[in-house]
Structures are given as structure tokens and as C-alpha cells.
Amino acid sequence: MQERASLAGRICAGRRSDCKRKPFRRRAAGRTNSLLHPAIACMGSHLFAGRGQEIQNRISLGSKRKMAVSPSTPPAMTILLSTLNARYAHASLGLRYLLANMGDLQNDSKLLEFVIGTKTTEIVEKLLAHKPRIIGFGVYIWNTEETTKVVAMLKRVAPEVVIVLGGPEVSYESAEQQIVQQADYLITGWGDVTFPQLCRQILHGPKPLMKIHAGVQAPLADLVMPYALYTDEDIAHRTLYVEASRGCPFKCEFCLSALDKTAWPFDLDGFLAELETLHARGARLFKFVDRTFNLNIKSSLRIMQFFLDKLAARPDDPVYAHFEVVPDHLPDALKDGIKQFPAGTLQFEIGIQSFNPAVQTLVSRKQNNEKAAENIRWLCENSHAHLHVDLIAGLPGEDIDSFAQGFDKLVALKPHEIQFGILKRLRGTPIIRHTEPYGLVFDPHPPYTILATDRIDFATMQRLVRFARYWDLVANSGRFANTLPLILGDAPFANFMAMSDWLYAKTDATHRIALERLAALLVEWLGSRGLAVESVTEVLATDYAGQSHKLHVKQKAVATARAAKSDVLLQRQARHLAA
């Protein structure tokens, strides 16, 4: 749920603190725990027939996968809508909503997306090539630092261009932010209606006197849906974000959705008609950004039935849907629908965050833990849905022992993935009220990660950060599904933390660890814990079953582990002889 539905829309999809959400995992064929149906996993090698050149001309990617740049001059555009996405695969739903609702200004507007990591000069050059009068930027927690550099350079080389900002990162605590000081205007809150109004005033007068404009929250029925603005390129190669509702009725203090009064649904008939059109154009991957998909069961069932009908009609060309669900609200009618989805076509994002009732109360999170655990267990045992369950470390009032108990409880439920997140302080969230009472210390720079609390010191928090990274590499990757139980044993958190500490001491790294080296390290670790290297390598071999092209990885892992064991024996012999 990478973006919200307006230039200044809400963030923190899924009642969690880490808002740079992971896209669908498109794992390599043959890997264990593959999430996607095989027919979906190989999609994307061709373009689907679509809307035509008109939309393609109005939406472009400023930085795609190292494509050749045409020497021709781009057409002049009065208004540019731009953002820096976390990945190429992410397509900005928020900016497409703005473009869809530009009204009489739409033909003079263009969407230009980039990816974080692109050179600032390259972005500025491509923006100015269109000779814009106005550029609107969507600013988020993952792109605010790079967007600040872009805006600063634009104001140096083209000060006449009007810069309008929006997005959750600049909608709160605005005055202190450098990017806001550099820009001409700022829209806080919803931007669907306010942005085009502001553009008309800038272009035709009277010139707005105020720099900061509170976004108008229009009735959803008045908004033009943006799904026709997904291009053939988007459909073929990118994640398509859709929303059947906005807002959230829950008040979890670590999430910006806590500021919403309720949830507002879009007209369901109109929304399903848009999905029908997308499907007809070839779309097969749909990621819902709704905070609580199963809030209204009647609507949930209709949407699920849409996908079930497509699966029944074309089982050889399946669709894939991703929903976020409330864990303690899974009535029988919804279970009956879920059971009908075949493997590889359905994913649920489930926010647990903490199993500690006192912590839940402290952050205003209402959750029936017993019912939530029961529903996760039911989903694992009675459905083919892929479960991605979230926990947050560093919440006020939770110490390491409490978090470990919650982690072990979740591991016992056996979800496919546990997203081990570290608390972030999103601007505007009520979590800040606990700063002094619970000694919360946040990094002052994005993404504002918690550094320490009164219960977890800085050094321990860094161990948790490394635990989360190694958990992604070993557990969530699906590469070591059979080896993982050997690592976890009967004390999952304690055992994995011990391995995490050992891995970091051994490698001094959490990134750029080659797969073959990681496999060898796991064998070495388990061998040091008293397991027979031969037995461990046999289990490791089953993790690579069906992946003969990666056989060399297993062989090198075994050879490295044996060499390490031999070194240990030689060292023991040397010590014995020296004595």
C-alpha cells in the first residue's frame, strides 16, 4: 500500500508504522513457498492492448529500467504531477487521482514518475524539458530527502516554476521542514479537489495569498476514478493499486489513519466496473490499499466474488488480489468465500503489531487477541491464502521479553511471512504523546525510526533492526523453509536472535550477503550448535529441491561448512600440541 489517493493523502497503509510497503513477491520459479500462481508469476513479458496513445502521452516514467532516452524535445506541459516512487514496480495511485480530477486542465497536465536513487540533475532536467509553469510533488516518508534536493535545484535553475507540495510527509509539522520553506504552496490533507483549484488560481488569478491550503475532502461520489490512467506499461509490469474505500475507523496511534473519523466507501458498482475494465485490458495483479478490507462484509464478499468469477472463467489466466484484513473479524460468510480461492491467487496483510494487551491499550488499538490468533490459525489450516502478518518492535510500554513472547506466539501460528517492523514516528501521529513518559527516542531523519525506549536501549534496538533484516533474508524469502525450523527450535525468538548476533559478528553486514555465502553460514551456525553438518546439509538440499540451476550454491555451502569445521579441528589440535 505504497501511496494514498491524493497528492496530500494519508499514509501508513495497514495500521502499521512502516509505510514503504513491500510489493507482491514475484519469486523465482521452483522456489519453495512461491506466492504467485505460476501463470501470474511469468506475466509481464508483453504489453496488453489498451486505451491507446492518448493516455500513454500524458503519463510517463522519468526513470525506467535504463531505457534509451529519445533526443526529441518533449511537448510543453503547463502542469506536471511528479513523485519519486520507492521502486519502479510501484505506480502512484495518488497522482493518478489528481490527474483524473484536473477537469479542464487535464489536457495541459502530465504525470512524470521517478524512482528514488535517480540523480537529482537527471530528474530536474527531465522535468524542465516539458517547460512547465507548475510542478506538483507528492512527498512521502521514503522520498522526502531526495524530493527536497529536487525542489532546491529547481528553485536555483528555474525559479519561475511554481512548486506545489502535498502528501502525508508535509501535511503535518510543515513549518519546520526545509522543503516546505523552498516551495511556493502546500496542500495539506486531501488534494483531489484543492490542487486543480489552486492551479487555476495560479494560472488565471487572482493569485493565492496564502502559502498553505487545507485540502477539501470531497464526497467520494464527486471524484473521477483514476484507473483508466493506468497505461499498458503499468498493467504489464507494475503493481496496480486500487481502493474500494478511504479512511479507517480505528485509532491506532502509530498510524496516520488514526486521524480519520471513519471509513468512506466508494460506489461499489462503479468501482467494480473499473476493475472489469482493467481486467479486460489485461490487468491480473490488484493490490487494495483499503485500511480494513473486511470492515463491511457485504462489500468484501462482492469484491471477492468478482475475482472468483474471473478465476472460474479463466483458470489458465488467473487474477491475484492482495487485501488488508482486520484479524479478529472473520465471519463464516467471509471464510466460505476465502476457501474458494486456489493457491497463488490471494494474499492477506494482517496487522497484529503486539499481543500485549497493556501495550495495545496504550496505543489505542482494539484487538481481540484470542480471536485474532484463532482466525490466523484457521486461515493457515483451511485456506490457500498467503498470510503476511505484521509485528512492530519499539512500541511504548513493550520490553524485549514482551515482544519475544508475541513473536513466539505468532511463529506458532505458522503464517507464511512475519513482517518484523521497527516503530517509525510518522509526522502527525498521536504516538508522540508517549515520548516523555516512555522515553521514546526517534531518529530525527526519515524514516524517523525508534532508536530507544525506556525499556529497550539503543544497542538492543540495533540488534532488533538486524534481526528484522536477517529474518527477511532467511525466513520471509522462502529460500530456507525446511532449514528454518532447525534454527528456531523450541524458542524461536531467542534462537534466531542468537543466530542474528552471530551472523553480524561474522560478517559485519546485513546487506549484500550472497545467497551461497548465507547458506554456508547457516550450516556453520547450526553445526556450532551441535547439529551434524551432514544432517543439516541434507535438509538444506531439500530447500533447493527443483532448483538444479542453483545446485552449486548448495555444494559451495556444504564445502564451506566442512572447511570451517576442519579449521576448528586444526585449531584444537594446534592448541593440544602447544599444551
Side-chain angles (χ1 to χ4, degrees):
M1 243 168 256
Q2 193 232 353
E3 301 192 6
R4 290 306 296 137
S6 65
L7 181 68
R10 301 297 189 196
I11 199 170
C12 197
R15 299 159 63 191
R16 54 177 285 207
S17 64
D18 179 6
C19 301
K20 189 164 68 178
R21 302 293 289 243
K22 291 186 177 180
F24 305 132
R25 290 188 185 273
R26 303 188 190 201
R27 294 178 176 152
R31 184 176 297 167
T32 58
N33 243 351
S34 180
L35 178 57
L36 295 182
H37 187 289
I40 296 177
C42 66
M43 234 172 52
S45 59
H46 64 283
L47 294 178
F48 298 100
R51 177 82 179 269
Q53 197 62 37
E54 176 187 356
I55 291 176
Q56 307 282 354
N57 289 341
R58 233 179 294 144
I59 302 177
S60 68
L61 286 166
S63 178
K64 290 196 278 191
R65 294 163 287 183
K66 301 298 181 184
M67 297 179 66
V69 178
S70 171
S72 60
T73 303
M77 279 291 169
T78 303
I79 303 168
L80 292 181
L81 301 168
S82 188
T83 195
L84 280 71
N85 296 319
R87 295 179 177 88
Y88 163 79
H90 296 171
S92 172
L93 178 61
L95 295 192
R96 283 166 176 77
Y97 258 106
L98 289 185
L99 184 57
N101 287 277
M102 290 300 290
D104 59 319
L105 295 176
Q106 189 179 75
N107 290 334
D108 297 316
S109 304
K110 183 180 180 69
L111 194 158
L112 198 60
E113 298 177 271
F114 300 91
V115 178
I116 57 174
T118 306
K119 290 177 61 176
T120 302
T121 51
E122 181 180 334
I123 294 173
V124 171
E125 181 182 14
K126 290 183 177 180
L127 289 169
L128 294 181
H130 293 277
K131 298 179 170 53
R133 292 181 61 185
I134 301 171
I135 303 178
F137 285 102
V139 188
Y140 299 87
I141 195 170
W142 61 83
N143 71 15
T144 180
E145 291 184 314
E146 294 187 33
T147 307
T148 299
K149 295 178 182 178
V150 171
V151 171
M153 187 173 291
L154 281 169
K155 280 304 177 183
R156 280 184 173 271
V157 300
E160 72 281 1
V161 176
V162 177
I163 304 297
V164 182
L165 304 178
E169 179 62 16
V170 290
S171 287
Y172 305 92
E173 306 170 21
S174 309
E176 65 190 55
Q177 297 186 55
Q178 179 185 350
I179 190 172
V180 175
Q181 296 165 5
Q182 295 169 341
D184 297 286
Y185 298 101
L186 167 66
I187 296 173
T188 63
W190 295 35
D192 313 85
V193 171
T194 306
F195 180 71
Q197 289 177 346
L198 180 61
C199 288
R200 291 186 188 97
Q201 293 173 8
I202 294 170
L203 296 172
H204 308 303
K207 185 178 180 180
L209 299 177
M210 302 296 293
K211 179 172 184 171
I212 299 178
H213 298 256
V216 174
Q217 183 174 331
L220 296 187
D222 294 347
L223 300 182
V224 179
M225 293 188 187
Y227 304 111
L229 298 178
Y230 280 127
T231 66
D232 294 338
E233 171 78 9
D234 297 332
I235 290 173
H237 301 295
R238 308 178 77 193
T239 298
L240 300 190
Y241 295 94
V242 298
E243 59 176 0
S245 65
R246 288 189 187 178
C248 181
F250 300 101
K251 303 300 177 186
C252 307
E253 296 181 17
F254 47 78
C255 178
L256 265 178
S257 293
L259 304 181
D260 294 331
K261 295 180 180 179
T262 185
W264 302 274
F266 283 89
D267 173 69
L268 192 53
D269 290 331
F271 174 71
L272 291 176
E274 295 287 343
L275 293 192
E276 184 70 49
T277 301
L278 280 175
H279 184 270
R281 293 178 59 200
R284 296 296 182 268
L285 297 172
F286 297 85
K287 189 166 188 179
F288 282 70
V289 301
D290 303 57
R291 294 293 160 283
T292 47
F293 171 72
N294 56 333
L295 188 64
N296 184 319
I297 299 303
K298 289 184 179 180
S299 297
S300 303
L301 289 173
R302 283 195 61 191
I303 293 171
M304 288 176 61
Q305 191 60 50
F306 169 87
F307 290 104
L308 288 171
D309 290 344
K310 300 306 177 189
L311 289 166
R314 293 291 303 275
D316 59 327
D317 186 20
V319 292
Y320 178 84
H322 172 113
F323 302 109
E324 178 157 356
V325 297
V326 182
D328 53 4
H329 184 53
L330 213 64
D332 290 341
L334 200 58
K335 289 180 178 178
D336 290 341
I338 291 169
K339 286 193 292 186
Q340 298 179 52
F341 280 83
T345 62
L346 182 64
Q347 174 167 310
F348 286 140
E349 186 96 9
I350 301 175
I352 290 295
Q353 320 309 6
S354 174
F355 274 118
N356 186 322
V359 174
Q360 291 170 340
T361 300
L362 198 62
V363 297
S364 306
R365 181 175 179 82
K366 296 181 179 180
Q367 178 174 286
N368 184 327
N369 288 336
E370 185 176 337
K371 193 67 177 177
E374 177 186 323
N375 286 337
I376 292 173
R377 185 179 295 107
W378 182 91
L379 287 167
C380 290
E381 296 175 354
N382 297 279
S383 80
H384 296 294
H386 186 95
L387 303 187
H388 180 134
V389 185
D390 300 340
L391 283 178
I392 297 177
L395 289 170
E398 184 146 59
D399 58 23
I400 196 76
D401 290 336
S402 168
F403 184 83
Q405 291 172 17
F407 183 86
D408 288 351
K409 182 174 182 178
L410 189 53
V411 168
L413 297 175
K414 300 181 179 179
H416 304 91
E417 295 185 41
I418 297 175
Q419 179 62 39
F420 186 146
I422 309 296
L423 179 67
K424 315 274 191 302
R425 187 191 80 81
L426 305 181
R427 293 183 185 272
T429 53
I431 195 76
I432 197 68
R433 74 185 182 94
H434 300 295
T435 298
E436 291 187 13
Y438 291 91
L440 306 184
V441 180
F442 292 95
D443 189 333
H445 304 290
Y448 317 113
T449 306
I450 189 79
L451 299 176
T453 72
D454 64 343
R455 323 240 167 149
I456 302 177
D457 61 23
F458 175 73
T460 304
M461 197 69 76
Q462 296 315 295
R463 292 174 65 208
L464 289 172
V465 171
R466 291 190 288 271
F467 183 117
R469 172 58 183 164
Y470 292 137
W471 183 261
D472 272 345
L473 291 176
V474 175
N476 288 341
S477 69
R479 295 186 178 106
F480 302 100
N482 297 316
T483 308
L484 183 63
L486 300 180
I487 299 170
L488 299 182
D490 57 0
F493 181 87
N495 288 335
F496 199 90
M497 178 62 90
M499 189 194 73
S500 173
D501 292 339
W502 179 86
L503 279 174
Y504 187 67
K506 193 83 173 177
T507 65
D508 195 32
T510 56
H511 292 75
R512 297 185 176 87
I513 302 175
L515 178 59
E516 57 188 29
R517 186 187 184 199
L518 180 60
L521 287 167
L522 296 183
V523 175
E524 184 180 348
W525 162 253
L526 290 169
S528 73
R529 303 282 280 188
L531 278 71
V533 170
E534 290 75 14
S535 299
V536 174
T537 54
E538 287 180 6
V539 175
L540 183 67
T542 64
D543 281 329
Y544 290 93
Q547 299 187 58
S548 57
H549 62 292
K550 290 184 177 179
L551 185 60
H552 70 284
V553 176
K554 182 195 75 171
Q555 292 171 337
K556 186 166 183 178
V558 172
T560 303
R562 286 175 175 166
K565 184 176 181 180
S566 177
D567 288 343
V568 171
L569 291 174
L570 289 172
Q571 291 170 9
R572 287 177 181 172
Q573 291 171 355
R575 286 195 300 267
H576 177 71
L577 291 173

